[in-house]
Amino acid sequence: MVLLKSPDGGWGWVIVLVSFFTQFFCYGSPLAVGVLYLEWLDTFGEGKGKTAWIGSLASGVGLLASPVCSACVSSFGARPVTIFSGFMVAGGLMMSSFAPNIYFLFFSYGIIVGLGCGLLYTATVTITCQYFDKRRGLALGLISTGSSVGLFIYAALQRELIELYGLDGCLLIVGALSLNILACGSLMRPLALSDSPLPEKSCLEKVPDQYLIYYEKENTSILEKGYNEEKCVNNMSRCDCKHDSILNKNGLISIHAKETDTYKQKVVEQTYFCKQLAKKKWQLYLNYWEETLFLFKNKVFSSLFIAILLFDIGGFPPLLLMEDVARSSNISEEEYVMPLISIIGIMTAVGKLVLGVLADFKWINTLYLYVITLIMTGVTLVAIPFAKSYIMLAIFSGILGFLTGNWSIFPYVTTKTVGIEKLAHAYGILMFFAGLGNSLGPPIVGWFYDWTQTYDIAFCFSGLCVLLGGLLLLVAALPCWDNCNNQSAKPPPNTYSYTVASSV
């Protein structure tokens, strides 16, 4: 049984709509956590570094657990995972309203909500890819803007709810809104199954030949046994009962002896089968790590994983701390036209669309385009300490939001670096390090503030991290490395090298 061909429309547009709102409701509060961050600082009186762990865990746990999330969606399907994760996100947000201390928030908001968001992201992307083939890029682009729109709206919404109902009431209401994910999940109808057989080998074909021979012999013996019993019943109606009973007794003894030998043989064959299966699983495990090591031999991939780690360490904190930066700069609330996080959110959506369109042009190298966004992000972060007015902070927030939209071209860069066959493996590794960067970035910047009582050094550190990652990736992607590689030995089969000079 296999899935039917992707319809590229029809109910697929309903899937796009509900996936958009799923990401809207689940990522709205975690991405706009900067508004809650200020309230948690005032409520619990902890340091900025420790308090920043709440938002960083909410964003990083889902990425760190991406292999687990993928396994859950593959095993249970997108609809059950979405409904279950909707309960997780809503429950985590509501539990956070009763938090007695900051450590409770690490669990309720950071881990529960973060893991629920990771599951929902995987589920929405998976079912969208199942429904779309030719228009898959458009569909994924549309659903990915749900998180950016959620950031834009939730930043203002949470600020208003805090003024009306307080922090606890805000979290309860936002948690109740997240229950709409259940309705979205109920509409994620899986594709119907086709009766066409799979082109792969069946399970019996994968079993060792010795075990198959035994399997056929056993079936034959069972059939012969049933035929002999039926024949014996017919003979009893025509022959002498005493003679038949003697024959039956001898037959039972013979059958019992054969069954004993068969049982012993079956144990031996099953033991052999289990050993072969364990051997194959171990070989797959070794192949996985061998392929992982080979990926890191690719200079561009190794630089890419360092760049994404440094980018998330330096580029993610503004999303969480920009509101506190404005308050530390003594900017009055009367100057606020729009929350800075809302500006970042709406410009991120614009950046995703614009950069995604640019990546489709054949004359644009997506790797160089990605490097440019990293370098510009680093320069903007270094310039933030010099912004002392709301207008300047709003401009820098818009630039950072637009450049953060480079997430839309990151899969393109990964594909061109390692090849389509190794995309899933490589992308999972990169997302793990992205989650690690998301988890470490805000606390590091917060600790810098606790140490220096200013964000100047913290944002200079963030900008230098992103700049270092961008420059390292640029050096690794220079065409001169291709000439060196051509003079060296050829790579093994099924491996890929990134050729920057060629058109993307």
Side-chain angles (χ1 to χ4, degrees):
M1 303 289 284
V2 295
L3 292 174
L4 290 176
K5 184 180 178 181
S6 301
D8 276 310
W11 191 260
W13 296 117
V14 178
I15 298 297
V16 170
L17 180 64
V18 297
S19 297
F20 172 90
F21 279 106
T22 297
Q23 293 200 15
F24 172 87
F25 287 117
C26 77
Y27 279 108
S29 179
L31 290 180
V33 72
V35 177
L36 305 176
Y37 173 76
L38 299 178
E39 301 299 323
W40 287 328
L41 284 174
D42 298 336
T43 302
F44 299 109
E46 299 285 353
K48 295 181 185 292
K50 183 182 289 186
T51 308
W53 272 108
I54 305 171
S56 62
L57 284 174
S59 298
V61 166
L63 292 175
L64 289 171
S66 56
V68 178
C69 298
S70 299
C72 291
V73 175
S74 300
S75 302
F76 304 106
R79 177 189 281 173
V81 170
T82 300
I83 294 175
F84 175 77
S85 303
F87 279 115
M88 285 185 64
V89 173
L93 290 170
M94 292 180 180
M95 287 171 59
S96 300
S97 65
F98 303 100
N101 51 56
I102 197 171
Y103 301 101
F104 186 87
L105 287 172
F106 289 164
F107 173 73
S108 62
Y109 198 98
I111 296 179
I112 295 182
V113 175
L115 185 58
C117 289
L119 288 167
L120 288 169
Y121 176 80
T122 306
T124 53
V125 170
T126 300
I127 194 168
T128 302
C129 290
Q130 290 176 356
Y131 268 86
F132 287 89
D133 184 15
K134 296 179 181 179
R135 301 178 180 177
R136 184 174 295 169
L138 173 62
L140 291 175
L142 290 174
I143 69 171
S144 67
T145 57
S147 58
S148 302
V149 175
L151 169 59
F152 173 73
I153 294 178
Y154 269 72
L157 176 63
Q158 289 184 148
R159 181 187 294 273
E160 189 68 23
L161 290 175
I162 290 172
E163 293 179 358
L164 294 176
Y165 306 105
L167 177 61
D168 296 342
C170 171
L171 289 170
L172 282 174
I173 294 174
V174 171
L177 288 175
S178 299
L179 290 173
N180 287 289
I181 296 174
L182 307 182
C184 295
S186 63
L187 294 175
M188 292 184 181
R189 185 174 65 194
L191 278 178
L193 295 175
S194 173
D195 294 330
S196 59
L198 290 172
E200 302 163 345
K201 289 184 177 181
S202 63
C203 295
L204 289 177
E205 290 175 338
K206 298 178 181 178
V207 178
D209 296 337
Q210 186 179 359
Y211 189 78
L212 287 177
I213 294 172
Y214 162 73
Y215 182 81
E216 293 174 357
K217 287 182 177 180
E218 185 179 14
N219 287 341
T220 304
S221 64
I222 292 174
L223 292 174
E224 291 177 355
K225 179 181 175 182
Y227 174 76
N228 291 334
E229 289 178 352
E230 182 179 357
K231 184 177 180 181
C232 182
V233 171
N234 295 331
N235 291 335
M236 286 178 64
S237 61
R238 297 192 298 263
C239 301
D240 185 71
C241 294
K242 184 176 180 179
H243 179 69
D244 291 341
S245 63
I246 294 174
L247 291 176
N248 287 337
K249 186 176 181 179
N250 295 333
L252 289 174
I253 295 174
S254 176
I255 291 173
H256 184 269
K258 289 182 178 179
E259 287 181 349
T260 303
D261 295 338
T262 300
Y263 175 76
K264 292 180 180 179
Q265 185 180 4
K266 186 175 182 180
V267 171
V268 173
E269 297 295 340
Q270 287 183 344
T271 303
Y272 170 79
F273 177 71
C274 292
K275 288 181 178 179
Q276 290 296 107
L277 183 62
K279 185 178 180 180
K280 290 181 179 180
K281 292 294 183 181
W282 178 251
Q283 188 62 41
L284 289 175
Y285 180 78
L286 293 178
N287 291 341
Y288 174 84
W289 285 108
E290 183 180 355
E291 184 178 349
T292 301
L293 291 175
F294 184 81
L295 284 175
F296 281 100
K297 291 181 180 179
N298 186 327
K299 293 182 178 64
V300 178
F301 179 81
S302 299
S303 302
L304 189 61
F305 107 84
I306 297 175
I308 191 65
L309 176 63
L310 294 177
F311 172 73
D312 280 278
I313 289 177
F316 179 68
L319 193 65
L320 176 62
L321 304 173
M322 191 60 77
E323 296 295 328
D324 192 48
V325 172
R327 187 168 71 171
S328 301
S329 300
N330 299 319
I331 297 176
S332 61
E333 294 185 0
E334 287 76 13
E335 298 182 47
Y336 269 68
V337 178
M338 182 185 298
L340 296 176
I341 299 180
S342 295
I343 296 175
I344 294 176
I346 195 64
M347 290 305 296
T348 300
V350 175
K352 287 179 179 179
L353 295 175
V354 173
L355 293 175
V357 171
L358 290 176
D360 287 333
F361 288 106
K362 294 183 179 180
W363 52 271
I364 293 182
N365 190 301
T366 39
L367 181 58
Y368 284 158
L369 179 62
Y370 185 74
V371 169
I372 290 173
T373 61
L374 293 183
I375 294 176
M376 292 180 65
T377 300
V379 173
T380 305
L381 288 170
V382 173
I384 285 179
F386 300 99
K388 301 300 180 182
S389 65
Y390 171 79
I391 295 178
M392 291 302 299
L393 285 176
I395 293 174
F396 286 143
S397 297
I399 295 174
L400 285 175
F402 181 86
L403 296 173
T404 306
N406 62 5
W407 277 103
S408 64
I409 64 173
F410 190 71
Y412 287 81
V413 176
T414 308
T415 304
K416 294 298 180 180
T417 302
V418 300
I420 190 65
E421 293 183 5
K422 291 183 173 61
L423 175 62
H425 186 184
Y427 199 73
I429 296 173
L430 294 173
M431 287 300 99
F432 176 84
F433 285 103
L436 187 63
N438 275 350
S439 300
L440 295 178
I444 292 175
V445 173
W447 288 330
F448 269 110
Y449 183 91
D450 294 336
W451 177 40
T452 62
Q453 295 301 309
T454 178
Y455 277 115
D456 294 351
I457 297 179
F459 275 92
C460 287
F461 168 79
S462 298
L464 290 176
C465 283
V466 180
L467 275 174
L468 177 61
L471 294 175
L472 181 63
L473 184 58
L474 176 62
V475 171
L478 290 177
C480 61
W481 293 109
D482 297 330
N483 298 329
C484 297
N485 291 335
N486 292 334
Q487 296 175 2
S488 61
K490 293 183 179 180
N494 297 328
T495 61
Y496 302 85
S497 59
Y498 189 92
T499 304
V500 176
S502 62
S503 60
V504 177

